[in-house]
Amino acid sequence: MRTRLDHLVSSALQYGSAVPAFTCYDFTTALAVVGAAEEAGRGVILLVAPKTAATRDGLRLIAALRGLADAALVPVAVQLDHASDLKVMADAVASGADSVLADGSALPFEDNIALVREARTLLGADVVIEAELGGLAGDEDRAFGVEPGPVAGMTDSAQVEEFVSRTGAELLAVAVGNVHGRYKGEPQLRWDLLQDIAVQTHVPLVLHGASGIPADELAKAASMNVGKVNFNTELRTGVLATLQDQLQEHRADGENLQGLLRHWSDSAQAFVKTALGLLAR
Ligand code: 13P
């Protein structure tokens, strides 16, 4: 059943847990994410990358994910991730996204606020808006090794209250040492900063770059009002490794694409189950 993203997140937080969100570049992965969530009886968020949503096929994928969310036996929300282009946001919502991350984190503070407010005016009150304060290092779609975020790019906790109240965002993505892609070495999250941020606002916080963050740290983050954690790299690299392993065998087996897709789905499901287990309440 399709559910408002903020409702999904706040009900998980009531139980001391966070909702995992998974980047889906394709429908096979999305089916696997929802199937694993149904087996676990837990809600999930399907993320669409902005480069995907900027194409006609990507908008059709969003429409398909909305249909999948409607048919799901557990709560599911569809979110456009990291968008800074208002047209891409409007197109994604018109195609079926319930929520957008209006990402002005690369902009100066006032311009970031202005972008989120423009997104609200354009998209209306029914669309759940996540905003981001502080910038994450790394690439959203490719897994290069990244040093944990530079201090200068981290969220400034002194700006949080003003940012949230002036933007009206329902969720706030933070930069506390998390990065997109692979961590070089161990992730080193700034717990003191996360705590400072958490006391500045009541809106749920979002931790991007969850791939590679140990289970106990994800649980600790949930206890500090982090209600949504975003995974891409681990899901994607797991699927790619499986496809590499299975490709020759399935070519030899009568060009068996159906069999190969089953392995793709199994790999994605296994990762989603692991992530749901990490966030078990
Ligand atoms: P990872 O690729 O590091 O898991 O981050 C995903 C993410 O934050 C998507 O928004």
Side-chain angles (χ1 to χ4, degrees):
M1 65 212 80
R2 202 156 46 78
T3 305
R4 266 185 74 103
L5 187 146
D6 51 348
H7 294 172
L8 188 53
V9 167
S10 50
S11 75
L13 276 171
Q14 277 175 6
Y15 293 96
S17 182
V19 183
F22 301 95
T23 305
C24 299
Y25 296 101
D26 62 275
F27 200 60
T28 299
T29 301
L31 283 170
V33 170
V34 171
E38 287 177 335
E39 268 189 40
R42 303 267 296 278
V44 280
I45 297 162
L46 304 176
L47 298 175
V48 177
K51 281 185 197 151
T52 304
T55 66
R56 186 184 60 185
D57 286 352
L59 294 176
R60 289 176 175 167
L61 175 65
I62 291 174
L65 299 191
R66 183 186 176 97
L68 177 60
D70 282 332
L73 305 175
V74 290
V76 177
V78 179
Q79 186 187 44
L80 171 64
D81 204 9
H82 289 294
S84 50
D85 181 321
L86 290 165
K87 179 172 170 6
V88 173
M89 294 184 213
D91 287 349
V93 167
S95 301
D98 310 291
S99 170
V100 302
L101 164 51
D103 184 357
S105 61
L107 303 173
F109 184 67
E110 287 296 331
D111 296 349
N112 189 354
I113 292 174
L115 177 79
V116 182
R117 291 172 66 104
E118 279 178 72
R120 171 66 72 207
T121 304
L122 182 71
L123 304 175
D126 286 345
V127 174
V128 176
I129 295 189
E130 177 178 331
E132 181 165 331
L133 186 61
L136 249 65
D139 190 305
E140 286 155 43
D141 302 306
R142 292 178 301 161
F144 303 121
V146 188
E147 304 280 356
V151 174
M154 293 202 193
T155 305
D156 179 351
S157 57
Q159 294 180 328
V160 164
E161 190 184 6
E162 181 185 352
F163 183 75
V164 170
S165 68
R166 286 179 60 198
T167 57
E170 279 105 351
L171 296 105
L172 178 68
V174 295
V176 292
N178 44 324
V179 302
H180 284 131
R182 286 200 187 88
Y183 289 83
K184 270 192 184 161
E186 295 298 311
Q188 287 172 8
L189 298 188
R190 282 273 312 277
W191 298 105
D192 57 329
L193 178 56
L194 187 58
Q195 186 60 48
D196 284 351
I197 295 167
V199 296
Q200 297 297 326
T201 183
H202 294 302
V203 302
L205 305 176
V206 181
L207 192 67
H208 286 250
S211 295
I213 297 182
D216 57 332
E217 299 199 2
L218 292 176
K220 184 171 169 183
S223 75
M224 295 182 182
N225 209 30
V226 171
K228 171 173 176 273
V229 293
N230 286 16
F231 295 93
N232 180 351
T233 300
E234 283 181 307
L235 172 62
R236 197 177 77 241
T237 54
V239 167
L240 279 171
T242 299
L243 292 178
Q244 190 171 12
D245 279 356
Q246 297 293 329
L247 187 58
Q248 282 314 326
E249 194 178 312
H250 286 81
R251 290 194 91 143
D253 181 28
E255 307 290 342
N256 182 356
L257 183 58
Q258 218 172 25
L260 188 64
L261 287 174
R262 205 158 39 244
H263 281 277
W264 178 331
S265 173
D266 286 350
S267 162
Q269 287 218 22
F271 177 69
V272 172
K273 281 183 197 155
T274 303
L276 284 164
L278 298 181
L279 296 166
R281 36 186 184 254

